[in-house]
Amino acid sequence: MYARFRGELPHVPWGFLAEQAPEVPEHPPVPVRLPAAERGVRDRDQEAETQEAERRGWAVARHAAHHLAPLTAPQEAGAALETLLDRLGH
């Protein structure tokens, strides 16, 4: 599985990694975080950040999965992202 995954990765030129990302001042930064929720246990700090994001009215989605879910469970991970994007109107 790893060899297939690695073989499908696109080539990223070194210049891309050195390029400065442009600033977009008219849009405030919105944090995007996909916290690891292995075994259904969340880190207290991550949960506090999640609650703060909800308090601010930001779209929040919880999906119990590990960091390799896009590789090992692509259908479920994709469905979770689609649900969040639908809530954001995309």
Side-chain angles (χ1 to χ4, degrees):
M1 183 183 293
Y2 177 76
R4 184 174 143 218
F5 170 73
R6 186 157 166 134
E8 292 175 0
L9 292 175
H11 172 73
V12 179
W14 283 108
F16 174 81
L17 300 174
E19 184 176 324
Q20 191 82 9
E23 290 190 28
V24 185
E26 65 271 9
H27 295 289
V30 177
V32 174
R33 177 178 236 182
L34 302 174
E38 295 184 45
R39 297 177 309 282
V41 177
R42 285 187 183 21
D43 178 78
R44 287 184 190 161
D45 293 335
Q46 288 180 346
E47 184 60 28
E49 288 179 7
T50 301
Q51 290 176 1
E52 176 63 16
E54 288 175 323
R55 187 188 68 72
R56 292 180 182 206
W58 296 344
V60 172
R62 288 179 170 88
H63 179 72
H66 52 76
H67 68 286
L68 293 177
L71 178 63
T72 61
Q75 301 292 2
E76 293 85 353
L81 289 173
E82 282 183 344
T83 299
L84 181 58
L85 288 172
D86 287 345
R87 289 178 50 205
L88 293 171
H90 293 282

